[in-house]
Amino acid sequence: DGGITQSPKYLFRKEGQNVTLSCEQNLNHDAMYWYRQDPGQGLRLIYYSQIVNDFQKGDIAEGYSVSREKKESFPLTVTSAQKNPTAFYLCASSIEFPRTGLPRGNEQFFGPGTRLTVL
Amino acid sequence: KQEVTQIPAALSVPEGENLVLNCSFTDSAIYNLQWFRQDPGKGLTSLLLIQSSQREQTSGRLNASLDKSSGRSTLYIAASQPGDSATYLCAVRPYTGGGNKLTFGTGTQLKVEL
């Protein structure tokens, strides 16, 4: 079955620790995204990647880092510089044709999420 | 800066009722609008995608309309069922700029009671 997987489902971080959230998709989608969801707020974009080995900051990138070495994978690292990391993290993907003039975006599909809690 | 608002924030209806959820956005220069459903503690499920050139999309008991000039979209749910209970989110993609960057509303929490 095609889809997006995220692991782990729950993650606990100690102060000063870096943690990495996994996101894998087998939909052959070009673009992948990381969002953060906090109670009472809409989803906010952290980072996105339109092609392998390229990614851009979203609205709240400070304290986070990403890599895109493979089309299928887009891991997110929450560093110790992120002062308030407790949140629900969602990964998404979509078909995309990057940097070819007018955007030709398509539906975004989401994974099941990872809940990160700071101890 | 694009802002997306969903009203009401919460809604409770009896089973079988038809209902409308509202989504408004401040910048009408959008490429598309997407409606999602989110169950507690889960990811988002895409319900409908409306391109800017379209007026509406239908899937089963769901119908979404788009009035780009007035900055509004509605999600109509016919004959509501308890299984429809969830949070419904709308999101818009800008017409310009790189990437499929969505701006989300804060959602409407729907409860359908027996």
Side-chain angles (χ1 to χ4, degrees):
Chain A
D1 288 337
I4 304 172
T5 58
Q6 291 186 242
S7 62
K9 187 174 182 179
Y10 300 98
L11 185 58
F12 300 91
R13 192 192 92 165
K14 296 180 180 178
E15 293 286 347
Q17 196 177 40
N18 292 352
V19 292
T20 297
L21 285 61
S22 170
C23 177
E24 304 276 335
Q25 56 95 3
N26 61 5
L27 301 167
N28 199 31
H29 282 174
D30 309 290
M32 298 185 74
Y33 315 83
W34 275 106
Y35 293 90
R36 169 179 171 144
Q37 187 175 36
D38 296 279
Q41 297 192 42
L43 275 71
R44 293 180 291 169
L45 183 65
I46 304 172
Y47 268 99
Y48 67 101
S49 167
Q50 295 173 287
I51 55 173
V52 175
N53 292 323
D54 189 38
F55 48 83
Q56 284 78 41
K57 293 181 179 179
D59 299 321
I60 55 166
E62 185 175 353
Y64 300 96
S65 66
V66 294
S67 63
R68 186 89 186 275
E69 298 177 0
K70 298 187 299 182
K71 188 175 185 179
E72 302 80 18
S73 178
F74 192 40
L76 173 74
T77 296
V78 184
T79 74
S80 58
Q82 170 50 239
K83 298 306 178 187
N84 185 22
T86 295
F88 190 48
Y89 290 86
L90 290 158
C91 177
S93 70
S94 67
I95 296 172
E96 188 71 20
F97 303 95
R99 302 189 181 95
T100 55
L102 289 177
R104 297 179 61 187
N106 214 320
E107 278 184 276
Q108 283 196 18
F109 295 92
F110 282 75
T114 292
R115 186 164 299 280
L116 173 62
T117 302
V118 174
L119 300 175
Chain B
K1 181 183 175 184
Q2 177 74 271
E3 292 184 2
V4 180
T5 304
Q6 291 186 248
I7 295 174
L11 181 64
S12 183
V13 299
E15 183 181 13
E17 189 164 301
N18 301 327
L19 58 100
V20 174
L21 306 181
N22 297 296
C23 172
S24 61
F25 46 94
T26 54
D27 186 348
S28 62
I30 65 168
Y31 189 71
N32 60 40
L33 182 146
Q34 199 167 348
W35 280 94
F36 296 90
R37 168 188 173 136
Q38 186 177 31
D39 294 288
K42 306 292 186 183
L44 277 63
T45 299
S46 178
L47 297 174
L48 290 163
L49 174 73
I50 309 178
Q51 302 293 350
S52 62
S53 58
Q54 297 175 322
R55 296 285 293 182
E56 63 179 295
Q57 281 285 336
T58 298
S59 176
R61 294 183 294 110
L62 304 179
N63 177 277
S65 67
L66 175 64
D67 184 344
K68 197 173 65 167
S69 61
S70 67
R72 294 180 183 177
S73 177
T74 61
L75 179 66
Y76 175 83
I77 302 177
S80 59
Q81 304 170 357
D84 294 330
S85 298
T87 297
Y88 291 81
L89 299 160
C90 69
V92 298
R93 177 188 170 170
Y95 192 77
T96 58
N100 191 357
K101 296 169 64 177
L102 298 180
T103 299
F104 282 83
T106 53
T108 294
Q109 188 173 5
L110 172 65
K111 183 176 182 181
V112 181
E113 300 175 317
L114 292 169

